[in-house]
Amino acid sequence: MPTINGQVSHWFDQLPAYRPALPGDRDVDVCIVGAGYTGLWTAYYLKRADPSLRIAILEARFAGFGASGRNGGWLSGLVPGDRNRMAAQHGRDGVVAWQRALNDAVDEVIDVAAREGIDAGIVKGGTMQIARNAAQASRLAAEVEEEMRWKVDGITVLTKGEAAERIRFDGVVAAYHNPHCARIQPARLARRLADTVEKLGVDIYEQSPVTEISPGKASTSHGTVTAPIVLRATEGFTASLPGLRRRWLPMNSSMIATDPIPDDLWNTIGWSGRETVGDTAHGFFYAQRTVDNRIAIGGRSVPYRYASRTDKDGRVPERTITHLTKTLRAVLPQIRDVPIAHGWCGVLAVPRDWSAGIDLDKKSGLGWAGGYVGHGVTATNLAGRTLADLVLDATTPLTELPWVGHRSPTWEPEPLRWLGVRGMYLAYKLADWHEARGRDTTSPIAVIADKIAGRP
């Protein structure tokens, strides 16, 4: 059977029926643009705090259509930004509090899912980072030191034998385990969270792309929603809105999923703890053992499309499927004969300084959250709670976190943006090639690329 390409993502075993579009002009208390995790979590916490609020969510396609329904399924405490840069701007204590809030948010999502009866295939097995050559091992050791400096508890350095007891990857030379992560089925979380907020009384209008956001209103071809508070939760699709083309860069990330793997083959692999897994290559991968016993693995291929264009319903170049298949079979040669069932891609938002932000302008009533640099599954929950506090004019520990009010510089105009991003990832590819040939430390090619890109 040929590999399915696109159709949004493998996480949707079938595409959902659309909710009705906006039926005409509406007046509400809070209008949220975007029915991904950020918009849905914001609506959830607002409605729980004040059931009288009239809240409408406008969504271009359907809830979970964007990154919320296409991601790698890592509910992790990874910070969506550069901790050192944020500490220089806002102080170390604030960044430590941010890290702890993200770790706590992993359990908050798990608790809400249990309370609301949301079956999202959640297993909190932590995450395992692996290195497969000396240069990667040096970066892995630096990562461990960095996590400990930021007071991330529970980090465990693994010997090769201990790593193999968890998952029998080929060629691992170093590894560590971080407990602050859970495997999820991301589309289930998005769709069932949408059902939950709808039951709370939030109106979700799908098939209603917003053409313009301005103080007091969000405009669509179906009508205009007026509200004193309008919140933008558009993440990787932000560049399509007027005046925001250079605000965040829509970075592409791609995934494949295998056919279901039989039990006897799983016995040769392990992975009984359902840890998520990543590596420390520059062209890194991220993976999980899925609810239905497949392996889903992702990474970069075509990192950015000229002029901030986005994909067509998740369709990915065939060479990307080939590349990810090769990566998977290199680390797990046991599954070389297991067919690839599906390939897809999506976009995530990357600010110019690689740090997410949240804000609400009390004067205009316009607010936003996003720019999660690929670490948004958990960060969206924290952002939703924070936006809810800001809307309700509540001063809380969340509203004091350093990403509140953080504004990133804009990206360069084209063609500089395209040339820069493409050049950066070509450099990373070359650096990985360089390191695979015996370097003990990070390739200078990658060091230069990081500095030019402003990456943490």
Side-chain angles (χ1 to χ4, degrees):
M1 184 174 179
T3 301
I4 298 170
N5 189 332
Q7 297 183 21
V8 184
S9 82
H10 181 75
W11 306 123
F12 294 96
D13 49 8
Q14 61 181 24
L15 294 184
Y18 286 116
R19 292 178 170 86
L22 179 69
D25 293 346
R26 279 214 55 194
D27 177 72
V28 297
D29 299 311
V30 180
C31 175
I32 299 172
V33 180
Y37 292 149
T38 300
L40 294 170
W41 282 123
T42 303
Y44 176 80
Y45 288 105
L46 278 171
K47 200 67 174 174
R48 293 264 301 184
D50 185 352
S52 71
L53 283 174
R54 297 171 302 150
I55 302 172
I57 302 178
L58 298 173
E59 166 56 43
R61 293 290 293 276
F62 57 81
F65 172 78
S68 299
R70 308 191 203 184
N71 63 78
W74 285 38
L75 180 66
S76 78
L78 292 170
V79 171
D82 183 341
R83 289 176 295 198
N84 292 298
R85 183 180 294 155
M86 293 292 271
Q89 295 175 3
H90 305 286
R92 177 179 171 80
D93 289 347
V95 178
V96 169
W98 187 30
Q99 176 67 78
R100 287 174 172 165
L102 285 159
N103 291 345
D104 291 344
V106 175
D107 293 322
E108 169 69 9
V109 173
I110 294 171
D111 291 345
V112 171
R115 181 171 68 239
E116 302 293 353
I118 297 172
D119 178 8
I122 300 174
V123 178
K124 192 180 181 185
T127 189
M128 190 166 79
Q129 289 290 105
I130 65 171
R132 300 180 70 239
N133 61 46
Q136 290 181 20
S138 71
R139 286 195 296 279
L140 186 140
E143 280 187 19
V144 171
E145 290 182 7
E146 181 80 356
E147 296 304 295
M148 291 179 174
R149 278 200 300 271
W150 291 108
K151 301 185 184 302
V152 178
D153 63 303
I155 299 291
T156 304
V157 176
L158 304 173
T159 66
K160 288 192 287 185
E162 289 168 338
E165 287 175 6
R166 291 175 179 269
I167 309 169
R168 297 178 191 94
F169 286 117
D170 187 62
V172 171
V173 298
Y176 76 88
H177 180 265
N178 180 334
H180 303 290
C181 188
R183 185 279 315 268
I184 69 166
Q185 208 283 24
R188 280 194 202 171
L189 177 59
R191 296 299 298 177
R192 292 172 188 179
L193 182 57
D195 294 340
T196 298
V197 301
E198 207 167 36
K199 289 174 184 175
L200 290 173
V202 174
D203 294 321
I204 302 175
Y205 299 108
E206 298 181 340
Q207 311 173 82
S208 302
V210 169
T211 55
E212 186 176 6
I213 298 172
S214 56
K217 65 181 181 180
S219 303
T220 80
S221 61
H222 301 282
T224 298
V225 176
T226 57
I229 301 292
V230 180
L231 305 176
R232 172 170 53 81
T234 48
E235 189 59 2
F237 298 96
T238 299
S240 65
L241 291 167
L244 297 174
R245 183 172 293 276
R246 292 168 54 194
R247 178 63 60 83
W248 293 333
L249 184 139
M251 185 76 75
N252 293 286
S253 195
S254 304
M255 296 197 73
I256 59 171
T258 68
D259 275 356
I261 295 172
D263 289 343
D264 60 341
L265 197 48
W266 277 119
N267 290 337
T268 71
I269 297 169
W271 218 331
S272 60
R274 272 59 175 182
E275 303 92 337
T276 62
V277 181
D279 76 338
T280 49
H282 302 291
F284 59 87
F285 75 78
Y286 51 93
Q288 66 149 281
R289 177 176 175 174
T290 69
V291 174
D292 54 352
N293 284 316
R294 306 169 189 263
I295 295 174
I297 184 171
R300 301 278 188 264
S301 176
V302 179
Y304 173 69
R305 292 178 171 87
Y306 189 83
S308 294
R309 292 193 298 268
T310 54
D311 59 86
K312 177 67 174 177
D313 289 357
R315 188 164 183 85
V316 65
E318 290 293 338
R319 67 181 182 276
T320 298
I321 296 174
T322 300
H323 166 72
L324 289 173
T325 302
K326 182 179 178 181
T327 298
L328 176 59
R329 290 174 178 169
V331 296
L332 282 174
Q334 304 95 311
I335 65 160
R336 58 186 172 272
D337 296 325
V338 177
I340 303 302
H342 201 154
W344 70 96
C345 70
V347 295
L348 53 101
V350 177
R352 186 63 182 87
D353 62 358
W354 299 77
S355 290
I358 302 171
D359 205 2
L360 175 62
D361 182 344
K362 298 292 181 62
K363 185 176 180 180
S364 68
L366 296 177
W368 54 271
Y372 304 115
V373 296
H375 299 327
V377 179
T378 303
T380 50
N381 174 272
L382 183 60
R385 285 185 280 142
T386 305
L387 269 179
D389 287 345
L390 292 171
V391 169
L392 297 170
D393 203 22
T395 300
T396 69
L398 299 188
T399 63
E400 301 299 316
L401 293 175
W403 66 340
V404 178
H406 177 76
R407 289 182 176 269
S408 305
T410 57
W411 283 88
E412 292 79 1
E414 297 292 19
L416 296 176
R417 187 162 70 246
W418 183 84
L419 289 170
V421 177
R422 297 283 290 198
M424 177 180 69
Y425 277 95
L426 284 172
Y428 288 148
K429 184 177 181 179
L430 182 58
D432 280 331
W433 178 87
H434 193 196
E435 292 173 4
R437 277 145 184 80
R439 279 191 62 86
D440 293 333
T441 58
T442 293
S443 169
I445 300 168
V447 174
I448 294 169
D450 283 344
K451 288 181 179 179
I452 293 172
R455 291 190 66 177

